[in-house]
């Protein structure tokens, strides 16, 4: 590869990939989830899953870039198709609706999207454990076992609450977002910025009973995408609240990412797997981190603003030069694919794939780069 020279070219390729994805998923009537790096043929589900909002979000980002009414109409259709998920008891409500229905209001000014996003925010806020101030995963198995697992991923469910607060002025959305962020900072982010994925706690007292990783190696490996969710989530918490303590956490977590990612900057799925380098990389972790750093590059004061911008640009260039399929790719794969993402190495799920959320965050980062230049 290595034929893509500028983010402008990358932006054009990413949009082309949205087009080729739309062609396939419209024909098959599925939400895209993951596509093998070798073929680019999407696998997906008709009803959607935690990743499906990102597809609608790619369409909204395309509509924002093109300004075409027909692109907004397409994005609206896919967004509203996610409505049945609003009744599910899962922290994923944030992933699903902040990347779809929220953008449907913010970009498309579609009232049905605003209503759907507010219903989802209300459900997500209703999941908070009021004694402890956190939103647990919502897994029925965990609840039945008397355990409430909180994962670092949930920091990126909070943008739904930050948005609902801005939109309605209701303080409860802000209060839950702040208490969840404070708990997560204390529980999950270590002094050197390293992030642990999951915390089990006593739901009555908040006493921590166990910490572990589900998607990294062993029980304590530092899962690269968890690190990335942390960078993005605390950057978004800082943007929403202006609280410097969240800015400090985001910057500390980013420093740890750069300390461990290696020269390529696109990390292996886990920083600590002893089998490195013979393990998958996760390009989506780099894309999420890059988009989070772009938030800091746009909103933080110096010196963090400057440092974040340098880091974000380094990541963007690593991704577009090394991982984005260029025009006329030798393997005749679709152009604009973000190769080599890893969904879940431990479960054996999609370990060398293009991942729909990787594409989403790469496009978000590219749009931020255009605003900043
Ligand atoms: N939120 C699930 C994951 O990142 O795999």
């Amino acid at each position: 590869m290595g034929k893509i020279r500028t983010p402008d070219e990358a932006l054009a390729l990413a949009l082309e990939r949205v087009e080729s994805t739309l062609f396939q998923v419209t024909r098959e009537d599925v939400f895209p989830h993951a596509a093998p790096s070798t073929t680019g043929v999407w696998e997906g589900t008709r009803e959607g899953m935690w990743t499906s909002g990102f597809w609608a979000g790619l369409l909204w980002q395309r509509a924002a870039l093109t300004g075409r009414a027909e692109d907004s109409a397409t994005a609206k259709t896919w967004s509203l198709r996610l409505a049945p998920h609003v009744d599910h008891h899962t922290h994923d409500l944030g992933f699903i609706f902040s990347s779809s229905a929220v953008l449907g209001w913010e970009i498309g000014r579609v009232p049905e999207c605003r209503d759907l996003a507010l219903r989802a925010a209300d459900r997500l806020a209703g999941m908070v454990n009021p004694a402890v101030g956190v939103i647990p995963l919502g897994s029925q198995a965990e609840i039945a076992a008397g355990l409430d697992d909180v994962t670092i991923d949930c920091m990126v469910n909070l943008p739904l609450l930050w948005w609902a607060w801005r939109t309605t002025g209701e303080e409860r959305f802000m209060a839950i977002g702040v208490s969840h962020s404070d708990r997560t900072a204390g529980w999950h982010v270590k002094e050197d910025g390293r992030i642990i994925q999951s915390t089990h706690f006593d739901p009555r007292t908040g006493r921590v009973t166990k910490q572990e990783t589900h998607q990294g190696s062993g029980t304590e490996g530092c899962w690269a995408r968890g690190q990335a969710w942390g960078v993005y989530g605390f950057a978004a918490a800082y943007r929403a609240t202006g609280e410097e303590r969240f800015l400090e956490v985001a910057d500390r977590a980013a420093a740890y990412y750069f300390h461990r990612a290696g020269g390529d900057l696109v990390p292996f799925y886990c920083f600590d797997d002893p089998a490195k380098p013979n393990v998958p990389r996760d390009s989506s972790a780099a894309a999420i981190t890059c988009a989070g750093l772009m938030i800091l590059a746009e909103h933080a004061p110096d010196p963090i603003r400057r440092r974040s911008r340098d880091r974000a640009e380094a990541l963007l260039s690593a991704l577009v030069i090394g991982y984005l399929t260029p025009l006329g790719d030798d393997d005749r794969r679709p152009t604009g694919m973000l190769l080599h993402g890893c969904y879940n190495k431990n479960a054996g799920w999609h370990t060398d794939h293009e991942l729909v959320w990787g594409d989403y965050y790469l496009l978000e980062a590219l749009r931020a780069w255009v605003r900043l230049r």
Side-chain angles (χ1 to χ4, degrees):
M1 298 212 306
K3 295 179 205 131
I4 302 164
R5 288 179 311 277
T6 67
D8 283 314
E9 281 176 60
L11 199 55
L13 291 173
L15 284 178
E16 199 171 317
R17 182 56 175 150
V18 176
E19 293 291 343
S20 67
T21 301
L22 184 61
F23 182 76
Q24 186 199 328
V25 301
T26 303
R27 198 183 53 218
E28 295 175 9
D29 195 29
V30 293
F31 284 95
H33 171 67
S37 292
T38 46
T39 64
V41 178
W42 288 101
E43 298 162 30
T45 59
R46 202 149 281 189
E47 64 285 359
M49 56 187 290
W50 74 271
T51 61
S52 300
F54 294 115
W55 169 232
L58 278 164
L59 293 168
W60 279 120
Q61 295 198 69
R62 175 181 76 145
L65 286 163
T66 66
R68 289 193 303 242
E70 63 268 32
D71 293 344
S72 288
T74 305
K76 175 181 167 184
T77 303
W78 284 94
S79 299
L80 296 181
R81 184 169 161 172
L82 291 166
H85 288 268
V86 85
D87 295 320
H88 296 172
H89 186 78
T90 165
H91 76 174
D92 291 335
L93 286 166
F95 281 121
I96 296 170
F97 292 102
S98 57
S99 56
S100 60
V102 166
L103 296 190
W105 176 246
E106 293 300 321
I107 294 172
R109 288 289 174 223
V110 177
E112 297 101 302
C113 285
R114 179 182 186 275
D115 294 348
L116 180 58
L118 285 176
R119 276 174 59 210
D122 192 55
R123 289 287 298 202
L124 184 63
M127 284 182 63
V128 71
N129 173 321
V132 187
V134 286
I135 299 172
L137 195 64
S139 135
Q140 293 310 315
E142 300 259 7
I143 292 166
L147 293 167
D148 275 333
D149 184 6
V150 174
T151 70
I152 187 66
D153 321 21
C154 194
M155 282 305 299
V156 187
N157 289 310
L158 300 185
L160 183 62
L161 300 186
W162 306 131
W163 170 82
W165 171 74
R166 270 198 298 115
T167 304
T168 65
E170 283 184 49
E171 284 304 324
R172 68 191 168 113
F173 293 121
M174 173 57 88
I176 293 167
V178 168
S179 68
H180 185 97
S181 302
D182 277 326
R183 277 283 185 189
T184 306
W187 282 351
H188 294 252
V189 188
K190 306 302 170 195
E191 222 169 289
D192 60 356
R194 174 188 175 86
I195 290 178
I196 183 84
Q197 184 179 4
S198 149
T199 300
H200 301 263
F201 64 98
D202 182 323
R204 290 174 308 277
T205 64
R207 188 179 63 81
V208 173
T209 53
K210 187 165 78 164
Q211 290 200 301
E212 61 180 336
T213 180
H214 302 301
Q215 280 161 268
S217 93
T219 54
E220 290 181 9
C222 185
W223 175 45
R225 195 162 65 253
Q227 193 72 27
W229 290 135
V231 172
Y232 189 100
F234 281 101
Y238 168 69
R239 178 178 55 188
T241 63
E243 292 291 348
E244 280 181 20
R245 63 187 187 280
F246 299 144
L247 175 61
E248 185 280 321
V249 176
D251 188 48
R252 182 156 38 106
Y256 189 82
Y257 175 100
F258 276 79
H259 170 58
R260 299 298 310 280
D264 189 72
L265 296 185
V266 175
F268 295 104
Y269 82 100
C270 177
F271 294 135
D272 298 312
D273 191 324
K276 282 190 316 183
N278 300 314
V279 296
R281 290 191 187 269
D282 181 12
S283 58
S284 79
I288 295 162
T289 305
C290 184
L293 287 167
M294 287 291 186
I295 294 176
L296 300 184
E298 289 196 283
H299 296 277
D302 275 331
I304 295 181
R305 182 193 65 80
R306 214 170 328 119
R307 175 155 75 231
S308 301
R309 184 169 174 170
D310 289 348
R311 285 173 170 161
E313 288 184 354
L315 271 179
L316 202 53
S317 130
L319 284 167
V320 304
I321 291 172
Y323 291 80
L324 200 67
T325 53
L327 265 180
D329 181 32
D330 293 344
D331 298 311
R332 303 283 175 256
R333 290 178 289 222
T335 54
M337 283 179 74
L338 183 60
L339 301 174
H340 309 312
C342 174
Y343 177 19
N344 191 325
K345 154 92 166 45
N346 297 338
W349 296 338
H350 304 115
T351 55
D352 184 5
H353 284 65
E354 177 184 21
L355 302 166
V356 68
W357 64 91
D359 290 1
Y360 173 91
Y361 287 105
L362 177 63
L363 189 50
E364 184 177 300
L366 285 165
R367 288 172 61 225
W369 177 85
V370 168
R371 287 193 298 272
L372 282 167
R373 73 175 159 188

